[in-house]
Amino acid sequence: MEFKLEAHRIVSISLGKIYNSRVQRGGIKLHKNLLVSLVLRSARQVYLSDPCPGLYLAGPAGTPAPPPQQQPGEPAAGPPAGWGEPPPPAARASWPETEPQPERSSVSDAPRVGDEVPVATVTGVGDVFQGGEADATEAAWSRVEGPRQAAAREAEGTAGGWGVFPEVSRAARRPCGCPLGGEDPPGTPAATPRAACCCAPRPAEDEPPAPPAVCPRKRCAAGVGGGPAGCPAPGSTPLKKPRRNLEQPPSGGEDDDAEEMETGNVANLISIFGSSFSGLLRKSPGGGREEEEGEESGPEAAEPGQICCDKPVLRDMNPWSTAIVAF
Amino acid sequence: MREADTLRPPQLMEVSADIISTVEFNHTGELLATGDKGGRVVIFQREPESKNAPHSQGEYDVYSTFQSHEPEFDYLKSLEIEEKINKIKWLPQQNAAHSLLSTNDKTIKLWKITERDKRPEGYNLKDEEGKLKDLSTVTSLQVPVLKPMDLMVEVSPRRIFANGHTYHINSISVNSDCETYMSADDLRINLWHLAITDRSFNIVDIKPANMEDLTEVITASEFHPHHCNLFVYSSSKGSLRLCDMRAAALCDKHSKLFEEPEDPSNRSFFSEIISSVSDVKFSHSGRYMLTRDYLTVKVWDLNMEARPIETYQVHDYLRSKLCSLYENDCIFDKFECAWNGSDSVIMTGAYNNFFRMFDRNTKRDVTLEASRESSKPRAVLKPRRVCVGGKRRRDDISVDSLDFTKKILHTAWHPAENIIAIAATNNLYIFQDKVPGLVRFPERSGVGFVFCVPVSSSDSPAIC
C-alpha cells in the first residue's frame, strides 16, 4: 500500500511539474520533461501493480523495520504505521477489474523486473522479482512507448478511472468505462487509491465535448505487443470527474492533505488543459502550445511528428488525454 | 614562507544581482569570465604580481562588463527566449584582442574584447572636445600623436550565430583547430565555422522520427583538446558517445560508447534522473573524461568503454532523499565538474555551498564551503563534514540541515595554477593556493587544510 501511496504521490507531483513547465519562462525544457515522464511511467507501473503486503523491496536505506510515521517532505522511508494491512478482500475484488487477471496475477507483486523500485522498506523480499515473462512482456511493451505516451497514460490513470492501460485491456468494461462488478462506494475502505468511477458527469469544461475512445493512445501504439487490443467501442463516452479523496491510512494526517491536494490538482489540471487546448487541434502556431517537439519552425514546419495521432483521432479524444498526447 | 604574506581571504566578488550561470577561465588563466541569468557577462583580469603591492598579487579585478544577450520573443511559437547565459567559451588568443563565445538557449555570439590605452591628440581641424575649430585660428599644422590614456576595454559583438537550434542549447565547445566550434542542444549538435554565421553543419541528430519514441537527450558535449576530429557528447541516460568526424558527415553512429551497467540494487523511481550526465570534460591530457551525474563524478579512460576507471561519491547521503529532492526540483540540478591543470585533482559542487575535491592519486577527498565566514585574516579553508547519523563531531553538519537553495553548480579551475573560481548563487569566490603547486588533503584525523587562503588589507570591491 505504501508503494501505491508513494507512487500515487509521485504521479501527481510529476503531473504538476509537467503542467508548470508549460508556463515556465523560456519554453518547455525537453530534458526535464523527459525525466519527469520517465518517473511518471515508473510510478504508474508500481501504482498499477496489485497491492500485496509483505513483498516489498529493500530500499537503499535497507532498514528492516518501517519507521512509525511517514513525514511529509521526507522520502518514503517506510510505510506509515498500521498501513501494512492487506486491502480488504471486498475492495480487492473490484480492483482487479481494472487489471486483467490473466496477465496481472503473475506480476501482481512485482514491479517489472529491473524496474524502478520505490524507496521503501522491506518486510519480505524473496519473490518480488518474479513474474518473469509477463513482466517481460509488459516491460517490453512499456519500453517501446515513448515518454509522452507514458505521461499521457499516467495522466489518464490518475485523471479518473477510465484510464485503461493496454495491459488492462482485456478487462470487461461497461460502456461508460466503469469496471464491472459494481464500483466501490466512496466510503469503501479501499486500501488502494482506486481510480474513481467515471460515470459522473464531466466537470465543467469549455472544451470539445468529443466522446472519445477510452484509450486513444492505443491507436498510436498500434503494432506494439500487447497493445491495442480491447479498446472499448469508440462510441463510449468515458466521462471524467475528479478523483475522490483517497482513503486515509490510519497514520496519515499529512497524507490527508496530500490526497486532497491531489484531487484538487487533478480537477484543475483537467480544466486548465481543456481550456488552453484549442490551439493544438488547430495545429497552428498561434495557439501558443509549447510542445517541445512542436518547436520545429521554418525548415521543419511540415513535420508531422508533433502530433502522434491523426487529426480525426485527436478530435475524438477527450481534452485531458489529448492534452497529454500533445504534450 | 611567512604566513602573513601568503594568506588572504578568498576574493569575494558580488558580481551582480543575478544568479551566476557559468564560469570560465581563459587558456592562460589571466582572464575569468562569468555569465549570469540576466544575460550579462563580467570578465575579471588577474593583476600582475608586483613588488609595489605585494598584498594584491594575483588578485582578480573586474576588467569588463557587458550585456551579451537580451530576452527575446519568438513570435512564431509564442515563446520567450531567456537571456540567461548558458555557457561561455574562450577562443585561443591569436592577437592582442581576446575573443569569447557566449550563448543563451538559442543564439551564440562571438565577442571581441580589445583594449584601448592610447588616443590621438593634436588634431588640426578638431579641438579636444571634437568640435570643429574655426579655421581662421589655425596658424600651424601639427601631426596628431598618440598619448596614453586610461585603459578602456571595448567589447563588440563580432558574430551572431542565430537560428541554428530548435531546442535549448546546453553546451558549446571550441575545436582545437581554432576555426570551428560546435553547439549542442537537446537533440542536435551543429558545427559552425567561426567566420560564417549564416550556416552550420548538423553533425549529430538524435531526434527520433516519432517524438513519442524519445528516450534520451543530449546533455553536454565537448571537443577533444588535441584531436580536432573527435568529440564526445553525453546523454540523459548516463552514456557517453565519442564520435569521429572523419568517419561520416553525420556522426549519429558513435565510434565509442561509454556506458556503465546500472547497479540493480540501487534502483528506484529516480534511477534514470540521477544517472543523467550533467557535465562532461576532457582531461588536459586528452586521455580521460570526467562526467558528473547527480550523486557521483566518474573518470573514464578513452580506451575503456565498459565502465569508468574511477567513481567518486559526491553526496551519497542524498540517495535516500531522492523523493524530496524530486519534489523540490533539486534532483534536476546540473552540477559541473572540473580538472586541475595536471589532471590529478577533480572538483565539483554540491549543496549548502559546499564543493568537493578528489585527489586521484591519493584517493583522498575533501569538502569545503564557500562562505563569507572564511574571509578572515590568515584564514584557511576548513574541511567540512556532513554526518549521516552515528557520532557527530563538533562542526559537522547533519544531512537534514543542509541548505538546498545554496548550490554550487558552476566551478572552474585555473589551467595551470591552484586557483579556483566558485559560483555560489550570485557570489563569485576565488580561492588561491599560494603554496606553489600543492593541494593538501586532510589526513584521517581530520586535521589539515587544503588551500592557504590569501589575506589582503583591502576588501575586494563589490561590482554590480
Side-chain angles (χ1 to χ4, degrees):
Chain A
M1 300 317 106
E2 311 74 39
F3 271 17
K4 284 196 132 38
L5 268 182
E6 183 66 20
H8 195 253
R9 192 164 138 253
I10 289 177
V11 164
S12 67
I13 291 170
S14 305
L15 287 177
K17 287 188 192 298
I18 292 181
Y19 169 69
N20 286 333
S21 73
R22 299 174 66 245
V23 300
Q24 235 172 28
R25 202 173 163 240
I28 293 181
K29 308 272 188 283
L30 182 61
H31 183 202
K32 180 175 174 184
N33 280 276
L34 175 65
L35 295 175
V36 169
S37 66
L38 292 175
V39 170
L40 255 182
R41 181 173 57 170
S42 317
R44 183 206 31 116
Q45 298 283 347
V46 171
Y47 184 73
L48 285 187
S49 59
D50 265 345
C52 195
L55 288 171
Y56 301 125
L57 284 173
T63 53
Q69 185 96 1
Q70 185 164 354
Q71 310 293 335
E74 262 184 19
W83 194 233
E85 302 292 322
R92 282 201 81 179
S94 51
W95 179 248
E97 260 80 45
T98 59
E99 296 157 345
Q101 287 296 10
E103 183 167 3
R104 294 298 269 174
S105 53
S106 59
V107 305
S108 55
D109 321 310
R112 61 188 166 109
V113 176
D115 197 349
E116 300 74 5
V117 176
V119 178
T121 58
V122 95
T123 48
V125 183
D127 28 4
V128 183
F129 278 123
Q130 68 187 337
E133 269 164 88
D135 256 348
T137 309
E138 177 197 351
W141 187 91
S142 303
R143 276 192 197 106
V144 169
E145 69 189 349
R148 280 195 330 174
Q149 239 177 347
R153 194 163 298 98
E154 272 84 69
E156 291 171 356
T158 56
W162 50 263
V164 180
F165 300 82
E167 57 266 29
V168 306
S169 58
R170 293 175 203 105
R173 294 194 148 257
R174 285 194 200 146
C176 74
C178 285
L180 290 178
E183 53 256 40
D184 294 339
T188 302
T192 61
R194 215 181 141 287
C197 168
C198 41
C199 296
R202 194 184 294 186
E205 293 164 284
D206 32 345
E207 249 321 291
V214 168
C215 38
R217 290 326 252 111
K218 297 196 192 150
R219 298 198 182 140
C220 315
V224 176
C231 252
S236 65
T237 309
L239 301 174
K240 299 190 312 299
K241 72 175 200 168
R243 230 170 353 168
R244 299 189 189 112
N245 281 346
L246 307 162
E247 293 312 309
Q248 303 308 325
S251 63
E254 307 83 56
D255 294 330
D256 280 324
D257 297 338
E259 312 302 6
E260 271 157 4
M261 182 183 64
E262 280 168 36
T263 305
N265 270 356
V266 171
N268 290 338
L269 284 169
I270 291 171
S271 56
I272 288 159
F273 272 129
S275 62
S276 60
F277 189 70
S278 49
L280 174 67
L281 288 184
R282 276 202 306 268
K283 208 179 179 178
S284 67
R289 301 280 308 168
E290 298 175 331
E291 315 91 73
E292 48 271 46
E293 54 276 14
E295 291 203 20
E296 313 283 333
S297 67
E300 306 189 67
E303 181 150 42
Q306 305 165 19
I307 299 176
C308 70
C309 306
D310 299 330
K311 273 173 118 172
V313 174
L314 274 181
R315 285 199 197 92
D316 287 343
M317 293 195 286
N318 66 55
W320 175 255
S321 55
T322 325
I324 306 297
V325 166
F327 202 84
Chain B
M1 158 195 48
R2 287 169 296 168
E3 280 196 301
D5 282 346
T6 58
L7 295 178
R8 253 189 264 170
Q11 276 195 272
L12 171 52
M13 339 277 283
E14 279 184 41
V15 175
S16 69
D18 263 327
I19 298 171
I20 300 172
S21 51
T22 186
V23 184
E24 187 82 6
F25 280 99
N26 75 337
H27 297 277
T28 61
E30 183 208 353
L31 297 176
L32 173 66
T34 64
D36 68 23
K37 272 185 76 173
R40 269 179 306 273
V41 172
V42 180
I43 302 178
F44 300 89
Q45 184 187 43
R46 193 176 186 199
E47 294 304 319
E49 312 204 356
S50 74
K51 297 193 183 65
N52 296 337
H55 289 300
S56 62
Q57 44 187 317
E59 263 196 21
Y60 282 82
D61 290 329
V62 175
Y63 181 63
S64 171
T65 304
F66 60 95
Q67 185 77 28
S68 170
H69 286 72
E70 300 272 4
E72 288 172 33
F73 199 80
D74 181 337
Y75 296 99
L76 191 64
K77 299 174 204 158
S78 296
L79 275 188
E80 190 181 7
I81 300 171
E82 275 192 281
E83 67 276 28
K84 173 171 76 106
I85 308 292
N86 292 335
K87 279 289 178 335
I88 290 176
K89 285 284 152 68
W90 290 93
L91 267 54
Q93 190 177 11
Q94 284 167 336
N95 50 39
H98 293 99
S99 300
L100 60 78
L101 289 169
S102 68
T103 184
N104 68 348
D105 282 338
K106 297 285 188 186
T107 306
I108 307 136
K109 295 189 184 180
L110 173 66
W111 292 90
K112 194 159 181 181
I113 302 125
T114 49
E115 292 183 358
R116 188 193 294 273
D117 60 355
K118 301 189 236 327
R119 67 155 180 249
E121 280 181 12
Y123 284 107
N124 293 293
L125 299 177
K126 289 186 293 187
D127 64 15
E128 291 304 314
E129 282 90 45
K131 289 197 318 237
L132 285 176
K133 280 186 194 171
D134 181 0
L135 287 180
S136 57
T137 63
V138 177
T139 54
S140 63
L141 289 179
Q142 55 185 345
V143 177
V145 292
L146 290 173
K147 295 262 177 70
M149 59 179 261
D150 289 339
L151 180 65
M152 207 166 68
V153 179
E154 296 172 334
V155 181
S156 64
R158 285 311 177 101
R159 307 265 189 273
I160 297 183
F161 305 90
N163 301 320
H165 288 277
T166 305
Y167 301 95
H168 297 317
I169 298 175
N170 52 55
S171 46
I172 51 175
S173 176
V174 183
N175 203 346
S176 51
D177 64 6
C178 303
E179 284 189 356
T180 57
Y181 76 95
M182 69 166 165
S183 56
D185 66 27
D186 292 317
L187 297 179
R188 299 195 177 95
I189 301 182
N190 291 340
L191 183 72
W192 303 82
H193 192 284
L194 283 165
I196 300 171
T197 59
D198 61 354
R199 76 193 90 127
S200 67
F201 286 108
N202 175 243
I203 52 177
V204 173
D205 187 341
I206 65 169
K207 182 173 197 277
N210 185 357
M211 277 298 277
E212 292 221 328
D213 301 330
L214 182 72
T215 55
E216 65 180 328
V217 297
I218 299 169
T219 52
S221 65
E222 197 182 44
F223 268 119
H224 192 279
H226 309 310
H227 303 299
C228 58
N229 56 299
L230 290 180
F231 65 93
V232 68
Y233 70 91
S234 61
S235 84
S236 55
K237 276 191 173 167
S239 62
L240 300 170
R241 284 175 174 78
L242 186 74
C243 300
D244 187 338
M245 293 197 290
R246 297 173 303 189
L250 188 61
C251 300
D252 280 358
K253 199 162 169 298
H254 53 262
S255 296
K256 291 197 182 187
L257 172 65
F258 299 83
E259 206 169 26
E260 182 176 28
E262 192 184 349
D263 179 5
S265 65
N266 273 338
R267 292 234 60 173
S268 73
F269 280 125
F270 311 105
S271 297
E272 277 132 338
I273 301 188
I274 63 171
S275 64
S276 174
V277 173
S278 54
D279 192 19
V280 63
K281 294 266 170 48
F282 276 105
S283 64
H284 292 91
S285 63
R287 167 92 190 262
Y288 303 104
M289 296 181 295
L290 181 64
T291 60
R292 174 74 155 96
D293 52 61
Y294 191 65
L295 296 178
T296 69
V297 281
K298 296 178 180 168
V299 178
W300 302 77
D301 187 323
L302 277 178
N303 299 319
M304 185 161 84
E305 301 169 59
R307 65 188 160 280
I309 57 171
E310 294 156 30
T311 300
Y312 301 96
Q313 301 293 333
V314 179
H315 38 205
D316 200 56
Y317 44 79
L318 296 183
R319 198 177 286 273
S320 56
K321 304 208 174 291
L322 293 180
C323 194
S324 310
L325 295 165
Y326 178 71
E327 277 185 77
N328 63 16
D329 269 1
C330 282
I331 206 174
F332 300 105
D333 288 335
K334 299 193 185 179
F335 292 93
E336 291 174 10
C337 52
W339 297 91
N340 74 336
S342 59
D343 298 336
S344 60
V345 181
I346 55 186
M347 169 172 71
T348 189
Y351 292 107
N352 210 72
N353 276 357
F354 287 166
F355 58 100
R356 302 262 281 140
M357 283 198 231
F358 304 90
D359 186 321
R360 297 178 60 214
N361 298 325
T362 65
K363 301 298 184 224
R364 294 214 291 246
D365 64 271
V366 68
T367 303
L368 301 170
E369 185 177 2
S371 75
R372 291 171 185 266
E373 282 76 48
S374 48
S375 313
K376 289 186 210 123
R378 309 180 68 190
V380 297
L381 275 183
K382 200 176 53 165
R384 307 305 309 266
R385 217 174 82 105
V386 178
C387 72
V388 285
K391 42 188 180 78
R392 192 196 148 150
R393 296 189 219 162
R394 190 165 53 97
D395 289 324
D396 284 0
I397 308 240
S398 79
V399 181
D400 297 314
S401 48
L402 289 175
D403 187 345
F404 290 96
T405 62
K406 294 189 192 166
K407 50 192 90 169
I408 293 185
L409 302 174
H410 311 287
T411 61
W413 205 311
H414 189 287
E417 300 185 34
N418 277 345
I419 304 173
I420 56 177
I422 310 284
T425 320
N426 55 350
N427 293 324
L428 181 72
Y429 291 82
I430 303 176
F431 295 101
Q432 302 196 34
D433 179 8
K434 287 314 240 177
V435 179
L438 195 62
V439 175
R440 276 168 290 224
F441 289 79
E443 304 285 350
R444 243 175 238 281
S445 62
V447 173
F449 56 97
V450 178
F451 277 95
C452 295
V453 182
V455 165
S456 78
S457 52
S458 64
D459 287 340
S460 308
I463 300 99
C464 281

